[in-house]
């Protein structure tokens, strides 16, 4: 396999466009992609025909407008290229069919903006994200909007947020005498996941229906030996990763690194960063392909944030930066960051936006699964804070607190052995407990859940940064001494939002009370976090930057709460079914068998059978407690209110604790029950089954 030759072979990429389009058509399309110029609809037919010819040469017979509805998944409706021509057919893709499609919009989440009877919706081509061929179909990335103009997807607002940031960042750069055609945000989303054997998966109703284990006693060996992280890859895992790499590369996805993560059966894949909307499309396709490739190897890829209790959950670290088309990274501190006015202003703007809009930044990554993950096992807490590290932290302290700043330079490091190479020691460490950490020339937002769309956090990051840049431009325009005004404004922002900076251990026992003292939010559940979207200041920032209308913000918040309620409801019903139909009968069978054994023993030896009797009594008592917990859970489910906010609170603060209590009893019985009687595979069976 020649990687350089096969990379992107399934993508209608720049090389294919350049070779298949007339020169002027190619130039026009590149202007749209590179500079944000409006698409010239007069070239649509030519582009469509070239795209169709290329796709057909790759074996495609259909095309689809590939879009991202408000479900965290993708959607597609396939149409064939065939058009009647007498008694035969021709293969055709018209310019209109390339640009716009019309799927039914009534059955997708809309947050109440659409009635079921109002069915018409439109998909519109996103020419900045390349089309590709998969399984005999040409996939055309698109946005999705309703007949009345509301955005019904994640791509349209993402593109709007990118435009907003581009607009405001260029205004900011202009104050420094820097001119460019475009400022783009870039993202490299790391993807964590679990791999388990398919046969074990099929024996677990909870994994099938909810993506996570609702029951499961901790194994004798979890991740405490710290031997899995970066460990040698098991044979089946290595084969899977190799197959996955080749598959991703063929779709032009820059899969770069792969390794074992901290928990048994957990792994990570990280791509090279790319333009945000392309990165979002790539990640959606990556998640789909991870699951499909796993099936070929007799495996199941679990993307749930917390499939196994007591070990690392899975996140998706969002490495976010912004750069000009001329190659200037606005988050690059340079060799002397303390003197870099542009960097300090951009840094201050980002810090201020994170503090001011910490509520929606936490809310945009909220989900039922992520609620289980945040706060432990390398996942950051639910409190938003910014980590700057030693060097930038010292600079900010000098500006805010008046402390003397002593420049810190990277120094050579060595283990003290002559043969060992000299390596550079960076000017700052990494903080794995920080939700928003500066890491050299970018920020790493670590709160994302592994199965979430990358679009949501980047919509928020782009929007709030754009707002901060806009406010900075308004404050600094017309300043007589710009350099002085710029520094004073940056210091002002840092002083006003200094509370959000935390360079220490986010797991420490003192951080929660300290965060409360600082006035930082600590919304631990989705039910609490999503309420931030309904606040007027949250709505206003999206409206001001042209990303959402007020109606669209509220609709998306309602959809998040609705999805949360539905998810917890499915988990609760599955908990009831497994407890009633599997666990309770299994324990009864074991208790009955023990009782028969006790009778037989006593008939022979008159032995007291003290241990057996105690075990029977304990299991019987626990099984009764299990069913009492199930009955309470069932009763509380009948009392869930209809209104979404109230329903989500009931789910978070009543139903989830009910489920946890049922699980606590069941997991206790699993430790006491004979292995052959337990009705489904244990954690040990699942997490150590892949060799």
């Amino acid at each position: 396999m020649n990687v350089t030759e096969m990379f992107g072979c399934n993508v209608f990429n720049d090389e294919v466009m350049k070779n298949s389009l007339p020169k002027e058509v190619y130039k026009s399309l590149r202007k749209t992609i590179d500079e944000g110029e409006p698409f010239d609809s007069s070239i649509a037919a030519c582009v469509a025909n070239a795209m169709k010819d290329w796709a057909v040469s790759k074996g495609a017979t259909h095309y689809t407008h590939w879009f991202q509805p408000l479900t965290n998944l993708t959607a597609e409706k396939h149409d064939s290229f065939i058009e009647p021509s007498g008694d035969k057919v021709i293969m055709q893709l018209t310019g209109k069919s390339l640009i716009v499609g019309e799927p039914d919009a009534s059955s997708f989440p809309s947050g109440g903006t659409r009635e079921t009877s109002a069915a018409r919706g439109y998909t519109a081509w996103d020419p900045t994200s390349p089309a590709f061929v998969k399984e005999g179909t040409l996939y055309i990335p698109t946005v999705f909007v309703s007949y009345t103009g509301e955005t019904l997807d994640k791509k349209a607002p993402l593109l709007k947020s990118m435009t907003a940031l581009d607009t405001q960042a260029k205004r900011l750069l202009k104050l420094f005498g820097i001119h460019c055609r475009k400022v783009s945000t870039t993202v490299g989303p790391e993807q964590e996941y679990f791999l388990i054997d398919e046969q074990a998966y099929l024996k677990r109703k909870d994994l099938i229906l909810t993506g996570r284990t609702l029951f499961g006693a901790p194994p004798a060996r979890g991740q405490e030996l710290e031997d899995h992280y970066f460990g040698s890859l098991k044979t089946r895992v290595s084969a899977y990763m190799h197959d996955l790499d080749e598959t991703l590369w063929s779709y032009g996805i820059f899969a770069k690194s792969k390794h074992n993560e901290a928990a048994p059966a957990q792994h990570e894949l990280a791509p090279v960063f790319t333009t945000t909307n392309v990165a979002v499309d790539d990640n959606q396709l990556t998640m789909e392909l991870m699951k499909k490739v796993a099936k070929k190897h007799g495996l199941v890829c679990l993307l749930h944030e917390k499939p196994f209790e007591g070990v690392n959950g899975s996140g998706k670290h969002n490495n976010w930066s912004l750069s000009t088309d001329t190659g200037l990274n606005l988050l690059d501190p340079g060799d002397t960051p303390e003197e870099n006015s542009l960097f300090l202003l951009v840094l201050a703007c980002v810090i201020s936006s994170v503090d001011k809009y910490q509520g929606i930044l936490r809310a945009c990554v909220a989900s039922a699964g992520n609620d289980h993950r945040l706060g432990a096992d390398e996942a950051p807490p639910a409190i938003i804070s910014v980590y700057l590290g030693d060097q930038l932290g010292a600079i900010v302290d000098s500006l805010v607190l008046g402390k003397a700043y002593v420049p810190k330079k990277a120094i050579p490091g060595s283990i003290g052995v002559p043969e060992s190479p000299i390596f550079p020691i960076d000017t700052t460490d990494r903080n794995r407990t920080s939700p928003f950490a500066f890491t050299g020339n970018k920020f790493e937002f670590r709160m994302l859940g592994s199965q979430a769309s990358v679009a949501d956090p980047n919509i928020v990051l782009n929007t709030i940064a754009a707002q901060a840049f806009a406010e900075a431009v308004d404050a600094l325009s017309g300043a007589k001494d710009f350099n002085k005004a710029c520094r004073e404004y940056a210091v002002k922002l840092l002083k006003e939002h200094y509370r959000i900076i935390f360079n220490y251990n986010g797991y420490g026992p003192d951080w929660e009370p300290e965060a409360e003292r600082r006035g930082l939010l600590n919304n631990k559940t989705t039910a609490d976090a999503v309420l931030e979207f309904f606040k007027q200041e949250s709505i206003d920032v999206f409206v001001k930057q042209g990303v959402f209308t007020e109606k669209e913000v509220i609709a998306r918040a309602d959809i998040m709460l609705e999805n949360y309620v539905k998810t917890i409801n499915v988990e609760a019903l599955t908990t009831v079914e497994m407890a009633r139909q599997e666990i309770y009968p299994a324990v009864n069978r074991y208790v009955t068998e023990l009782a028969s054994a006790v009778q037989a023993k006593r008939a022979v030896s008159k032995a007291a059978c003290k241990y057996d009797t105690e075990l029977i009594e304990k299991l019987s008592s626990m099984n009764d407690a299990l069913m009492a917990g199930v009955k309470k859970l069932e009763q509380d489910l009948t009392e869930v209110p209809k209104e979404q906010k109230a329903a989500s609170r009931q789910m978070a603060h009543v139903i989830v604790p009910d489920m946890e209590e049922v699980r606590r009893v069941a997991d206790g019985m699993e430790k006491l029950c004979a292995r052959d009687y337990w009705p489904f595979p244990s954690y040990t069976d699942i997490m150590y089954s892949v060799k």
Side-chain angles (χ1 to χ4, degrees):
M1 176 197 68
N2 187 321
V3 175
T4 58
E5 289 181 5
M6 61 87 69
F7 186 85
C9 64
N10 292 322
V11 182
F12 192 72
N13 55 26
D14 183 69
E15 182 181 359
V16 176
M17 288 192 294
K18 196 170 188 177
N19 292 334
S20 58
L21 295 174
K23 189 174 182 180
E24 292 306 313
V25 173
Y26 171 75
K27 284 184 177 180
S28 176
L29 184 55
R30 285 303 332 171
K31 273 187 170 291
T32 297
I33 297 170
D34 298 331
E35 302 175 32
E37 291 287 325
F39 177 72
D40 181 0
S41 58
S42 68
I43 69 171
C46 182
V47 175
N49 190 60
M51 198 180 285
K52 179 266 300 179
D53 286 346
W54 169 80
V56 170
S57 74
K58 304 291 293 182
T61 57
H62 289 69
Y63 69 94
T64 182
H65 276 198
W66 187 58
F67 58 101
Q68 299 172 29
L70 302 174
T71 59
N72 279 337
L73 303 173
T74 57
E76 54 199 61
K77 176 174 74 78
H78 298 229
D79 290 295
S80 70
F81 289 125
I82 66 169
E83 293 291 340
S85 178
D87 293 334
K88 297 188 177 181
V89 296
I90 59 172
M91 303 289 270
Q92 185 178 56
L93 178 64
T94 65
K96 180 181 178 182
S97 296
L98 169 63
I99 292 175
V100 65
E102 192 185 325
D104 187 333
S106 64
S107 296
F108 290 102
S110 69
T113 62
R114 304 284 289 159
E115 299 291 342
T116 303
S117 59
R120 193 181 295 275
Y122 299 104
T123 48
W125 178 36
D126 170 19
T128 63
S129 188
F132 56 93
V133 168
K134 180 170 72 75
E135 298 168 357
T137 296
L138 171 66
Y139 282 70
I140 303 168
T142 60
V143 301
F144 183 39
V145 298
S146 73
Y147 179 72
T148 49
E150 294 93 358
T151 56
L152 297 173
D153 70 336
K154 296 177 184 283
K155 171 67 79 69
L158 177 66
L159 294 174
K160 289 181 179 182
S161 74
M162 293 170 67
T163 298
L165 188 59
D166 171 52
T167 300
Q168 302 304 336
K170 285 189 294 191
R171 289 181 66 211
L172 189 71
L173 289 172
K174 193 174 180 180
L175 296 179
F176 289 85
I178 300 172
H179 298 272
C180 62
R181 293 180 301 176
K182 196 171 187 179
V183 177
S184 300
T185 56
T186 54
V187 170
E190 303 168 28
Q191 180 73 58
E192 295 174 342
Y193 61 98
F194 281 80
L195 281 180
I196 65 172
D197 189 271
E198 187 176 26
Q199 294 306 310
Y201 170 83
L202 293 173
K203 295 174 183 176
R204 296 276 320 208
K205 184 185 290 187
D206 46 4
L207 283 176
I208 293 171
L209 295 182
T210 74
R212 75 179 183 101
T213 52
L214 301 174
F215 299 98
R221 175 175 174 172
Q223 64 186 63
E224 64 274 9
L225 294 180
E226 300 173 333
D227 56 342
H228 190 258
Y229 192 49
F230 279 27
S232 176
L233 300 177
K234 294 176 180 177
T235 302
R236 289 176 70 190
V237 172
S238 180
Y240 164 79
M241 288 182 170
H242 179 77
D243 194 355
L244 179 62
D245 275 341
E246 290 189 353
T247 304
L248 294 176
W249 290 338
S250 74
Y251 290 104
I253 296 172
F254 296 97
K256 179 70 173 177
S257 64
K258 57 187 180 183
H259 60 83
N260 288 343
E261 253 298 332
Q266 189 185 32
H267 315 281
E268 182 178 301
L269 178 153
V272 178
F273 67 88
T274 187
T275 308
T276 302
N277 66 309
V278 176
V280 169
D281 285 358
D282 284 353
N283 186 251
Q284 291 293 147
L285 183 57
T286 295
M287 289 190 288
E288 177 191 335
L289 293 172
M290 288 170 75
K291 293 179 179 180
K292 288 188 174 182
V293 172
K295 196 165 183 63
K296 289 167 54 180
H297 292 261
L299 302 170
V300 172
C301 174
L302 300 177
L303 293 177
H304 193 283
E305 288 81 5
K306 197 76 169 179
F308 303 104
E309 189 67 29
V311 298
N312 265 36
S314 294
K316 182 146 46 189
H317 305 161
N318 189 86
N319 294 284
W320 178 83
S321 190
L322 54 160
S323 305
T324 68
D325 61 291
T326 57
L328 173 65
N329 184 336
L330 303 189
L331 287 174
D332 186 349
D335 294 331
T336 54
E338 69 276 13
E339 299 172 5
N340 189 335
S341 296
L342 174 59
F343 169 74
L344 287 177
L345 180 59
V346 171
L347 179 69
C349 285
V350 173
I351 289 171
S352 70
S353 67
V354 171
D355 182 30
K356 189 173 181 180
Y357 299 106
Q358 56 181 282
I360 56 175
L361 197 54
R362 160 68 180 102
C364 74
V365 296
S367 70
N370 217 19
D371 287 354
H372 293 290
R373 169 181 164 265
L374 294 178
D377 301 312
E378 292 193 16
I383 305 165
I384 294 286
S385 64
V386 176
Y387 171 79
L388 295 178
D390 299 337
Q391 182 185 40
L392 293 186
I395 292 173
V396 170
D397 285 349
S398 72
L399 296 173
V400 174
L401 305 176
K403 292 182 177 180
Y405 171 64
V406 179
K408 183 176 181 180
K409 304 293 183 183
I411 59 175
S414 171
I415 63 171
V417 176
E419 295 84 359
S420 173
I422 303 299
F423 55 89
I425 296 178
D426 290 326
T427 57
T428 188
D429 199 355
R430 288 183 177 178
N431 188 335
R432 311 308 285 176
T433 70
S434 174
F436 199 75
F438 187 80
T439 54
N441 59 4
K442 59 184 174 18
F443 277 101
E444 183 181 24
F445 187 32
R446 295 175 53 83
M447 293 183 82
L448 285 69
S450 51
Q451 61 185 337
S453 167
V454 188
D456 295 317
N458 287 290
I459 291 169
V460 173
L461 283 172
N462 294 345
T463 302
I464 64 177
Q467 180 63 25
F469 292 161
E471 292 171 0
V473 172
D474 293 343
L476 296 173
S477 294
K480 292 181 180 180
D481 186 340
F482 175 73
N483 287 332
K484 181 182 178 183
C486 178
R487 191 171 187 86
E488 288 178 348
Y489 185 77
V491 172
K492 174 178 176 289
L493 289 182
L494 292 172
K495 285 183 176 180
E496 290 175 352
H497 301 282
Y498 188 65
R499 66 174 185 170
I500 200 71
I501 298 171
F502 183 69
N503 289 323
Y504 307 102
N505 181 12
Y507 291 167
D510 298 331
W511 175 224
E512 279 201 24
E514 169 64 14
E516 184 178 0
R517 186 189 66 78
R518 295 186 185 193
L520 301 180
L521 298 172
N522 187 9
N523 293 322
K524 295 185 178 181
T525 73
T526 296
D528 301 316
V530 173
L531 298 182
E532 294 294 321
F533 277 120
F534 294 98
K535 292 182 177 178
Q536 195 59 49
E537 59 266 31
S538 301
I539 294 170
D540 287 346
V541 69
F542 291 113
V543 175
K544 285 177 183 176
Q545 293 305 320
V547 175
F548 290 127
T549 64
E550 180 168 345
K551 188 177 181 181
E552 287 171 336
V553 177
I554 294 172
R556 278 162 170 74
D558 283 334
I559 289 169
M560 291 183 74
L561 291 179
E562 180 183 16
N563 184 65
Y564 176 75
V565 170
K566 289 178 177 178
T567 299
I568 300 299
N569 189 61
V570 169
E571 290 185 352
L573 293 177
T574 306
T575 296
V576 169
E577 281 190 14
M578 292 180 71
R580 277 192 180 280
Q581 299 173 6
E582 298 181 65
I583 298 173
Y584 181 75
V587 174
N588 270 347
R589 282 195 296 272
Y590 182 50
V591 167
T592 301
E593 186 72 23
L594 279 176
S596 297
V598 167
Q599 274 191 324
K601 284 182 181 179
R602 284 177 174 166
V604 173
S605 64
K606 307 294 184 185
C609 303
K610 180 180 177 182
Y611 174 77
D612 290 338
T613 302
E614 288 177 352
L615 183 57
I616 289 170
E617 290 175 354
K618 188 167 186 178
L619 281 173
S620 297
S621 175
M622 292 176 75
N623 221 15
D624 287 344
L626 176 80
M627 294 313 298
V630 167
K631 288 181 178 179
K632 183 179 186 306
L633 175 56
E634 289 176 313
Q635 178 59 39
D636 288 340
L637 282 171
T638 67
E639 298 172 2
V640 175
K642 296 293 184 185
E643 195 271 326
Q644 291 294 355
K645 293 177 186 176
S648 65
R649 288 193 294 270
Q650 172 83 352
M651 289 297 185
H653 303 300
V654 177
I655 301 302
V656 169
D658 283 352
M659 292 165 56
E660 290 172 347
E661 176 58 21
V662 172
R663 175 176 189 153
R664 185 190 66 80
V665 177
D667 291 355
M669 291 195 295
E670 182 183 352
K671 294 178 181 179
L672 300 174
C673 197
R675 176 187 177 91
D676 291 344
Y677 286 83
W678 200 249
F680 37 74
S682 68
Y683 270 20
T684 302
D685 297 331
I686 302 171
M687 298 169 74
Y688 293 96
S689 61
V690 179
K691 303 299 183 183

